[in-house]
Amino acid sequence: MRWCIEIVRLARKHGYNASTADTIAILHTSTLLARLRDRPHPSPYDFQDAAVTCLEKDRVPGRRDVRRLCQILLGGDRLGRVGYESLPPLAQDVYDRLAVLGVNLKSSRIERALLDIQGRPELLPASDLLWRLRYLGAGVRPIMGERTLGHKPKQESWDIEIGKHQGSLIQLGYEGLTIEQVLEKRLKTKAFEATSRAAKALEAAEDSVLYLRSGRLTRELGLRATELLRAELGGNDAPEIFQRVRGLVHYYRTLGMPDWIKDFVSTGYRHYATLLPTAFTDRGTAPRQLAAMLAFIFTQEALAFSMGCERSQLLIAVAQAEPEDPPKIALRWAAQWILGQRTEDEIRADFQHLLSSPMLLPAFPEYMAGFLLALEFTPRISRLAVEFLSRAFAALPDEVLVPWLPKLVVTLRPLGPGVMQTLVKEAGLAFPRDLAKLPAWEFSWDRSVPVAPPPAPKARSEAKASAKASAAAPAVERSPAELAVATLLRAEPASLNALAGLLGVPTTWAPLAPADETSAATSEAEVVASEAAEDAEAASVADTPLAQLLAAHPEALQALAARLQALA
């Protein structure tokens, strides 16, 4: 009660609007905090928290805040200095190992240490120790340098405050005999606590690689992360898990992939493929989380296949998904395009339908946001993304486009510099390089594709073509589906004419007739004549440069024929 009265007096002296009511409030709040913290009576820490809560309103009127006033009232912390002989073994070990830096570790000022690791390799253990101390919060701060997977340090600069904050180092001495032992203990606690999740355990495994380089500990933490991943029921941590797994896989590709990361990737592939149908329809799963699940599946697919996973599970999961939210529908389109279930023209037609429908036009930005999230796992769609964005800026009205621009920036920001660089490069290729070409310029996707005209046939070729055209169609029994395809090809012959022109084959179209009428109308002489014409045509085709090239290197055609036979 005396503390409560005195802190209100000090607060009023330093400009705070405090009264007797604040004294009563501080007294009751400190008692409440003590009971919440399982203490029979309020401690100075409970009193200080209660004073800050009750007295600090919106600003600090003077130079000192309430926390500083409490320290003045209670006498403050008396900071002293412990000699080397009285330090715990952990602190003595740190002093001995950092002596190579040549700085005064007992100084109460900030000491600057410059490490030229490339010129003095013996400083590398001291650098590792400084990074471990920073991870544990023991009074060191990096000015220049980084610690990432696969990074080899060359030069570093550190601010060392061990002498000024000696208490934090002494407190670490109560947890173990060495810094490495304390760090291992904390990483295990982080991964094996009751509330731990797969992302946190995987983070502990990555930290063990960065700071301890202990294969045994990393494997133990990685297996724990795999176990927690199997027990998860959603994709809330999928973005973080995807980023960490991608970095670990890239790091281990040069060193040899350990078993635990293979097990984690295969488990994640099966787990997320199982969750996909639910994630597409669940409103609690955000589009970014769904995109991270798909990114994990598609980017780690090769490693998962080597561990026995099958793509059929993913095909079934995407086929079962029936999303209703526009971003998830666009993500499903992108996944189907990668799996070969949807073509590029179909996706373009879907977005064109959105732009042409007045009812669906306000939802176009949401579809586009989901499609842009697919850049995280398939940068190949960058050309389509640039095309759809250009169409959106050209077609969307201002009342739809202007509110969408901030959301577009928020959507693109988490994709990272690599994806954004690809998108900007693709956009640069779509626009003209010279300002003078801008009036006559048009987008590449709006230009009509020219069809190569067939080469002019010679008189002999014309005679053969007319003879073949006059001949009846071969007596082949066609199904209704084959007749429909043949009718479609004759109605739209431009693609086959262009292909024949590239191959150097004269374009002749025989009249379409049913199989029974053709067989009745064709005579033996006409069959012989048609076979002779075909032989002569084959001989003329064999004289083209393309035919000679394929005859010299038949491996590609043989592989294509084997592939088509396997698919049939």
Side-chain angles (χ1 to χ4, degrees), residues 257-494:
M257 206 70 65
D259 293 337
W260 73 267
I261 193 69
K262 294 180 181 179
D263 190 18
F264 188 91
V265 169
S266 60
T267 301
Y269 185 91
R270 298 188 184 98
H271 180 68
Y272 286 139
T274 305
L275 294 178
L276 275 183
T278 305
F280 270 108
T281 57
D282 183 19
R283 294 295 180 89
T285 303
R288 176 157 178 77
Q289 296 170 356
L290 178 60
M293 295 168 65
L294 291 170
F296 185 100
I297 292 173
F298 285 118
T299 57
Q300 307 303 327
E301 202 170 30
L303 183 57
F305 287 167
S306 66
M307 295 299 295
C309 298
E310 297 182 358
R311 201 175 200 182
S312 57
Q313 184 181 6
L314 177 59
L315 294 172
I316 295 173
V318 174
Q320 291 178 344
E322 296 181 357
E324 298 179 356
D325 297 338
K328 294 183 179 181
I329 294 176
L331 281 172
R332 185 171 181 261
W333 291 347
Q336 289 176 333
W337 180 61
I338 298 177
L339 297 174
Q341 298 176 347
R342 184 179 291 267
T343 62
E344 181 178 320
D345 293 335
E346 291 176 347
I347 296 179
R348 184 178 288 107
D350 291 331
F351 277 93
Q352 283 289 91
H353 174 65
L354 294 174
L355 287 174
S356 60
S357 175
M359 297 293 293
L360 297 176
L361 190 61
F364 181 86
E366 298 183 24
Y367 282 92
M368 197 66 230
F371 195 72
L372 289 175
L373 288 175
L375 288 169
E376 197 166 9
F377 57 86
T378 169
R380 293 189 302 159
I381 68 171
S382 58
R383 183 171 56 85
L384 282 176
V386 170
E387 175 183 346
F388 298 154
L389 282 174
S390 302
R391 292 183 185 275
F393 281 102
L396 288 178
D398 292 342
E399 58 269 15
V400 178
L401 183 62
V402 174
W404 177 47
L405 292 179
K407 298 180 182 179
L408 178 63
V409 175
V410 174
T411 303
L412 293 175
R413 183 181 298 172
L415 297 180
V419 175
M420 286 302 303
Q421 184 178 1
T422 304
L423 193 62
V424 172
K425 181 179 179 181
E426 192 67 41
L429 295 176
F431 291 93
R433 301 290 182 88
D434 191 0
L435 187 60
K437 300 179 182 179
L438 188 60
W441 167 84
E442 60 179 350
F443 284 111
S444 58
W445 48 83
D446 291 334
R447 302 169 192 161
S448 58
V449 180
V451 179
K458 298 181 181 179
R460 184 177 177 183
S461 301
E462 291 178 355
K464 294 178 181 179
S466 61
K468 184 175 181 181
S470 61
V476 178
E477 185 177 359
R478 292 189 176 94
S479 63
E482 292 174 345
L483 285 175
V485 172
T487 305
L488 177 62
L489 292 177
R490 283 170 170 75
E492 302 290 338

Side-chain angles (χ1 to χ4, degrees), residues 213-232:
R213 300 187 183 93
S214 173
R216 172 195 56 80
L217 178 62
T218 304
R219 181 179 181 276
E220 184 178 355
L221 299 176
L223 293 178
R224 171 63 175 172
T226 305
E227 179 184 353
L228 292 174
L229 181 62
R230 291 193 185 99
E232 289 190 358

Side-chain angles (χ1 to χ4, degrees), residues 541-542 544-558:
V541 172
T544 61
L546 180 59
Q548 296 174 1
L549 178 62
L550 293 176
H553 302 281
E555 295 83 1
L557 286 180
Q558 292 175 358

Side-chain angles (χ1 to χ4, degrees), residues 144-213:
M144 181 184 67
E146 61 178 350
R147 178 58 62 99
T148 55
L149 291 174
H151 175 71
K152 295 182 179 180
K154 296 181 180 180
Q155 289 183 342
E156 293 179 355
S157 177
W158 290 82
D159 278 350
I160 301 177
E161 304 174 304
I162 293 179
K164 185 177 181 180
H165 302 283
Q166 198 179 41
S168 59
L169 186 62
I170 294 175
Q171 290 177 5
L172 290 177
Y174 292 102
E175 300 184 36
L177 297 177
T178 61
I179 288 293
E180 290 75 15
Q181 182 183 1
V182 175
L183 183 56
E184 179 177 348
K185 181 180 178 181
R186 291 199 180 182
L187 291 177
K188 285 185 177 181
T189 302
K190 184 178 183 179
F192 286 91
E193 61 183 359
T195 59
S196 181
R197 301 178 62 87
K200 187 177 291 187
L202 191 62
E203 181 184 2
E206 182 179 351
D207 291 340
S208 69
V209 176
L210 287 174
Y211 300 108
L212 289 180
R213 300 187 183 93

